[in-house]
Amino acid sequence: MKNLFAAVALTLVTSTAVAQGVPGQKKNEPVQTYDFSVIVLDGTRTVPGCDYIPARKRTKFRNMIEVRANFHPEMNQSASSL
């Protein structure tokens, strides 16, 4: 139990020490603000310059492979060849 407490305490101490000294961080850098209340936008809404072409319906193709109901002639031929 003492080892667990020591490990937790060591982790807390080292994590705060690392967080304080982050290399490459600029301190006291001025904050840049933008004021958008001064900008006035006037204009008209424009539409596309071309006519709208509605999408065509999806083309339906017929199946080129014919599904056969039975294979009796081929089965009779293979049985007779045995």
Side-chain angles (χ1 to χ4, degrees):
M1 187 68 178
K2 289 182 182 181
N3 290 338
L4 179 63
F5 179 70
V8 171
L10 181 63
T11 304
L12 290 175
V13 170
T14 56
S15 64
T16 56
V18 171
Q20 289 176 359
V22 177
Q25 183 180 10
K26 297 178 182 178
K27 294 185 179 182
N28 299 332
E29 185 174 320
V31 177
Q32 187 173 9
T33 59
Y34 295 100
D35 185 19
F36 291 105
S37 64
V38 178
I39 299 173
V40 177
L41 298 176
D42 291 329
T44 59
R45 193 179 104 190
T46 60
V47 295
C50 60
D51 292 332
Y52 173 72
I53 300 172
R56 292 185 285 179
K57 292 183 179 178
R58 187 177 178 118
T59 306
K60 294 183 180 178
F61 297 101
R62 68 176 184 90
N63 193 356
M64 301 288 287
I65 301 171
E66 296 177 11
V67 179
R68 290 179 54 179
N70 59 38
F71 294 91
H72 290 299
E74 286 84 1
M75 292 178 72
N76 288 336
Q77 183 183 4
S78 97
S80 65
S81 68
L82 292 176

